[in-house]
Amino acid sequence: MRCAILWAFLLLPLFARAQSWQQVFDDVMTTDTDDEAGELLTDSYELLEQLASHPLDLNRCTREELEQLPFLSAQQVMDLQEYLYRYGPMRSLGELRMIRSLDRQQLSLLPFFVYVGQDYEQVTPPPPRLDTLFRHARHTLSFTGRIPFYERRGDKNGYLGYPYRHTLRYELSSLKHLRLGIVAAQDAGEPFLAKGNNWGYDAYSYYLELRQMGRLQCLVAGRYKLAAGMGLVLGQSFQLGKLATLQSLGRSISTVRPHASRSEADYFQGAAATVDLLRSGTTRAPNTPHLLLTAFASYRPIDATLTADGQAQTLITSGYHRTPTEMDKKGNTHIGAGGAHIIYNRGALRLGATATYSQLDRRLEPQRQTLFRRHYAHGRHFLNASADYGYTHHRVALSGETAIDGHGALATANALSFQPSGRLSLLAVQRFYSYRYTTLYGHSFGEGSRTQNESGLYVGATWNPLAHLRLQGYADYAYFPWARYQVSQSSHAWDFLLQATWQRGRWTLLARHRTRLRQKDNAQHTALTANNSHQQRLSATISQGPWSWRTQLDLSQTRSPQTDNGWMLSQHLLWTHRAVQLSMMGALFDTDSYQSRLYVYERQLRHEFYFPSYYGHGLRLNVQAQADLSSNLSLAVRLGYTNYFDRSAIGSGLQQILHSHQSDLDLQLRWRF
């Protein structure tokens, strides 16, 4: 039967459609999915989802708004602004091809996030009155629920709530100036209107956003996220990994945006505002000076594991409150924060500075007697400051940030890109994060998930030797002077990747190889041994009218010290016809162990993200349908099924399912009025 399923995958007809931004998202993801990196990946998806839901009008957007698009380089942002200023409004998105710095991948991505509006003016019109904004308001209300067709051990005895997961979202938006929303989220196993959640849902996120209101460039009240410079101090931003860094050429991102996700990690609660001190928002001339000041204040609860004397041992960001133990940790610690970021832009030059201060109501004291935790953040008061800088030329761009913490420890990250021609771009990223440097909000470029204890150099290139062929590759070296998890002494790591993409007409072919050479302790903890891995991907996509078909083969091999192999063959089908969209995915996988596991992005309903790992021997199926029931009402349904051929139970602990298979049904109802 397994052979029959395999041949069915191979013999299905080959149809395809133009790639969605989700498909490109899958092509550029190279992030490791440990707990912290997984949160960053989820947040990156949510950022793209927000940007796609609120596309920018190219004929009206400012430089700062264009810089929200994380896949554009600094030079491309300037080229877009220069084109609009020199030639006037765009009449169609086809004019994007006139901007030579935009490559084929970005040209395919931009239509999902921008559009061409009418009534363009060289001077930004005054912002509308609030009563006008509410007259033009659009409302969106959606409900998403998951029904599992299986029972976990905790559902019988252990979890406080029922096994259903659901989310309620409401948003009001008007033009590009106003957004107001609330997200209410409930995880499976959490109580609803009972046992600690007397207000109903387990988690709420709420926000009010005003943009381009005269001097006020942006104001967000409620829950929000911040990013500045290279992310050494404030890095709650876009993180897709080292391959995506080639796309933006290491550009720094400074932004304030609402926290419109169900995630309970890495957000502020209070208010943040960006003010244009020079009133430069009234003109779009590329060389107009900009002096923007962003100030923020925040006070929020956070979960923590407490010691016997009431100190916070670990700050918890998972957001799970399913058991009495997890519920006891809910909001048991509070953290206050404040700070500012000021940035000066004029043409090619960019200068900025950031300062933040945080205070906990309990002392943070991780188990520092463990060697790799010796220099983790500890205490009650935390101070960070940095200077960020950048210069963009027609062929050369430099960006960087240098930071210091309250104990005088240093961190710096710098990126230099060079484009000798329209077909070739080169990038180098240097970073040094002292093993003593600590930050509560920083997430910057690196091999590890922490902006600490790492020095390294990354070099990469994108080359288009032919009109339809794109080659990308990088080499990254990292040195860790202090001990890390499962590494009790200084160590180093290498990371190499090469990817080729061929696009012509209806066809897109992709081939990728990645090699990672790392070190870890041997069984006796007396020396370091090699922990090497190799991953390959081959995929083919063909397009024909409303159909989309993709065949993908993923391979993995790990040597640590034994050799484990794995493979996964997956098929992805998408069909769109007017108000109906149907997608299907099927995958067969077989790996020798968890060490050779494989990750494949799986398309989900709106605002949902799923990037699971597969190991062992089994089958994964996913069917999704979406239909517009009327001009205002849409319904989406997703059915997922996983069957393992090599085990009789899935998972462990309270999450264990006493079957070899599991399936769940997702429903989403969306009403726009």
Side-chain angles (χ1 to χ4, degrees), residues 9 60 81 84 88 96 225 237 244 353 378 431 459 513 549:
F9 285 162
R60 286 187 177 273
Q81 288 291 98
L84 291 169
L96 290 172
K225 288 179 174 287
S237 185
H378 61 280
R431 74 267 192 193
V459 291
H513 178 87
W549 181 265

Side-chain angles (χ1 to χ4, degrees), residues 592-621:
D592 293 336
S593 70
Y594 179 75
Q595 298 299 321
S596 54
R597 64 193 180 278
L598 290 160
Y599 293 92
V600 174
Y601 168 69
E602 188 173 306
R603 193 170 185 176
Q604 298 288 294
L605 305 182
R606 291 175 66 93
H607 302 289
E608 299 291 321
F609 177 75
Y610 194 48
F611 192 49
S613 64
Y614 295 99
Y615 67 96
H617 189 195
L619 166 71
R620 172 65 180 174
L621 298 173

Side-chain angles (χ1 to χ4, degrees), residues 440-661:
L440 296 182
Y441 312 113
H443 298 293
S444 191
F445 182 91
E447 172 72 13
S449 58
R450 305 176 67 89
T451 308
Q452 184 185 40
N453 185 34
E454 182 174 341
S455 302
L457 179 63
Y458 165 103
V459 291
T462 299
W463 182 35
N464 296 280
L466 303 173
H468 305 284
L469 179 63
R470 175 190 180 96
L471 300 177
Q472 292 179 289
Y474 68 74
D476 183 45
Y477 172 76
Y479 173 70
F480 312 101
W482 193 260
R484 306 170 68 215
Y485 177 65
Q486 294 186 338
V487 186
S488 57
Q489 56 185 285
S490 59
S491 61
H492 65 264
W494 288 92
D495 187 359
F496 304 95
L497 181 140
L498 180 62
Q499 177 170 295
T501 307
W502 185 76
Q503 292 179 302
R504 182 161 187 173
R506 300 177 301 164
W507 285 91
T508 300
L509 304 178
L510 181 144
R512 176 195 297 172
H513 178 87
R514 187 183 190 188
T515 295
R516 308 187 72 187
L517 310 176
R518 293 171 289 179
Q519 296 175 303
K520 71 173 185 178
D521 287 336
N522 61 10
Q524 297 76 30
H525 299 279
T526 57
L528 298 181
T529 62
N531 180 23
N532 302 333
S533 65
H534 305 271
Q535 296 174 329
Q536 297 87 29
R537 169 173 292 182
L538 298 172
S539 71
T541 305
I542 185 172
S543 59
Q544 180 64 51
W547 293 90
S548 170
W549 181 265
R550 187 185 197 196
T551 303
Q552 181 170 299
L553 175 65
D554 289 275
L555 304 171
S556 70
Q557 183 183 81
T558 60
R559 298 175 182 176
S560 179
Q562 74 280 0
T563 299
D564 292 336
N565 297 295
W567 62 267
M568 172 183 284
L569 178 65
S570 58
Q571 301 284 3
H572 307 258
L573 174 67
L574 177 66
W575 176 73
T576 302
H577 180 68
R578 295 181 181 176
V580 179
Q581 184 179 92
L582 176 66
S583 65
M584 293 181 286
M585 188 275 281
L588 281 172
F589 57 91
D590 189 2
T591 75
D592 293 336
S593 70
Y594 179 75
Q595 298 299 321
S596 54
R597 64 193 180 278
L598 290 160
Y599 293 92
V600 174
Y601 168 69
E602 188 173 306
R603 193 170 185 176
Q604 298 288 294
L605 305 182
R606 291 175 66 93
H607 302 289
E608 299 291 321
F609 177 75
Y610 194 48
F611 192 49
S613 64
Y614 295 99
Y615 67 96
H617 189 195
L619 166 71
R620 172 65 180 174
L621 298 173
N622 180 14
V623 179
Q624 181 174 318
Q626 178 179 322
D628 292 335
L629 305 180
S630 69
S631 59
N632 298 326
L633 189 64
S634 62
L635 174 67
V637 181
R638 186 199 69 88
L639 178 64
Y641 172 79
T642 307
N643 189 9
Y644 292 94
F645 306 141
D646 59 348
R647 68 196 72 172
S648 58
I650 304 172
S652 60
L654 295 179
Q655 286 287 95
Q656 188 177 59
I657 302 169
L658 298 177
H659 298 284
S660 63
H661 58 86

Side-chain angles (χ1 to χ4, degrees), residues 278-347:
L278 298 180
R279 292 183 178 270
S280 52
T282 59
T283 178
R284 294 189 182 88
N287 291 322
T288 301
H290 296 247
L291 183 60
L292 303 178
L293 173 64
T294 300
F296 73 95
S298 170
Y299 185 76
R300 56 160 294 199
I302 192 170
D303 299 359
T305 301
L306 303 183
T307 62
D309 57 357
Q311 295 180 342
Q313 187 176 88
T314 306
L315 301 181
I316 303 171
T317 59
S318 66
Y320 289 131
H321 306 114
R322 302 162 298 184
T323 66
T325 301
E326 292 176 346
M327 186 60 74
D328 288 342
K329 298 175 183 178
K330 183 177 181 179
N332 60 8
T333 303
H334 291 79
I335 182 170
H341 174 65
I342 189 167
I343 186 165
Y344 174 79
N345 282 317
R346 180 162 189 171

Side-chain angles (χ1 to χ4, degrees), residues 37 39-48 67-70 225-231 234-241 251-257 266 441-444:
E39 287 289 350
L40 293 174
L41 203 58
T42 302
D43 186 55
S44 298
Y45 179 88
E46 185 63 37
L47 170 60
L48 289 173
E67 287 177 342
Q68 294 181 50
L69 301 176
K225 288 179 174 287
L226 294 171
M230 301 292 285
L234 293 172
Q236 302 169 320
S237 185
F238 190 79
Q239 300 282 339
L240 282 188
R251 175 175 66 89
S252 61
I253 296 178
S254 299
T255 183
V256 181
R257 60 185 178 90
D266 277 347
Y441 312 113
H443 298 293
S444 191

